[in-house]
Amino acid sequence: MATDRPILLVEDNPDDEALTLRAFSKNKIANQVVVARDGVEALDYLFCTGQYSSRDSLVNPAFVLLDLKLPRIDGLEVLRRIRADERTALLPVVVLTTSKEHQDIFEAYRLGANSYIRKPVDFERFLQAVGQLGLYWLSLNEPSDPTAR
C-alpha cells in the first residue's frame, strides 16, 4: 500500500477514533493518520490555516474519513467546502458515520462524497470495513494528479 500520504480522520468521538486507529493498525495500514476532532480543525488542516499553517500544502491526504455529526462545523459543511475549492475538489472523501438518515445520505452524495459507510457496531465488521477502505483507497484506486494539467 502507498504510505507516502496521510489519511485525515475527522472524528469527534474518542471511542470511534480509537477503534478506527486500532482497525488501521490491525489491517497493517501504515499511513500517518491525522485526526481532526471537529470541522474547523479539519478545514484548517486541509487549507493549511490555524494550527496547520506551516503544513506542506502540496501534500494532500490520500483520503478523508469524515464523520457527519461534528462540533463547530458539521461534516456536510466540511464536504461542501472541500468540493468548492479547486485544491481539494478531487480529494477522495469517505463519509464514515452512525447516521442512517436518508437525508444525510442523499446530501452527502449530492455534495460529492465518494462513499457513504455506516459505522458497524460490531468491532470485527468495523475492522473488516476499515481494511477494505484502506485496500481500495491506498492500493487499488488511481488518484488524480492535480499537477498533470
Side-chain angles (χ1 to χ4, degrees):
M1 286 190 206
T3 60
D4 56 336
R5 295 190 304 154
I7 297 166
L8 178 59
L9 171 62
V10 188
E11 176 60 68
D12 66 316
N13 181 314
D15 293 334
D16 287 348
E17 174 189 334
L19 282 175
T20 305
L21 294 174
R22 187 166 165 218
F24 281 144
S25 177
K26 288 228 177 240
N27 281 287
K28 299 182 180 15
I29 295 171
N31 297 61
Q32 174 194 12
V33 179
V34 176
V35 180
R37 292 177 179 86
D38 62 47
V40 171
E41 191 177 344
L43 293 170
D44 280 348
Y45 179 81
L46 290 168
F47 299 116
C48 303
T49 57
Q51 68 178 326
Y52 297 103
S53 61
S54 62
R55 184 181 80 76
D56 183 353
S57 62
L58 298 177
V59 180
N60 269 333
F63 63 95
V64 177
L65 279 179
L66 179 63
D67 191 15
L68 292 185
K69 309 302 181 191
L70 298 168
R72 300 204 291 170
I73 296 176
D74 72 21
L76 291 173
E77 182 59 25
V78 170
L79 180 57
R80 184 178 288 110
R81 293 186 192 184
I82 288 171
R83 293 298 181 242
D85 192 292
E86 73 176 28
R87 297 170 292 176
T88 55
L90 299 177
L91 182 64
V93 177
V94 176
V95 173
L96 182 63
T97 187
T98 56
S99 177
K100 297 178 182 179
E101 298 293 321
H102 293 293
Q103 185 60 34
D104 285 343
I105 297 167
F106 173 80
E107 192 65 11
Y109 280 121
R110 190 186 72 73
L111 291 171
N114 296 92
S115 186
Y116 190 104
I117 299 170
R118 284 191 211 118
K119 293 175 187 171
V121 177
D122 173 76
F123 179 69
E124 288 304 316
R125 290 192 58 217
F126 186 74
L127 190 69
Q128 183 181 32
V130 169
Q132 290 172 352
L133 279 172
L135 175 66
Y136 179 77
W137 290 109
L138 299 173
S139 294
L140 300 174
N141 183 60
E142 193 66 41
S144 169
D145 181 359
T147 62
R149 291 184 187 186

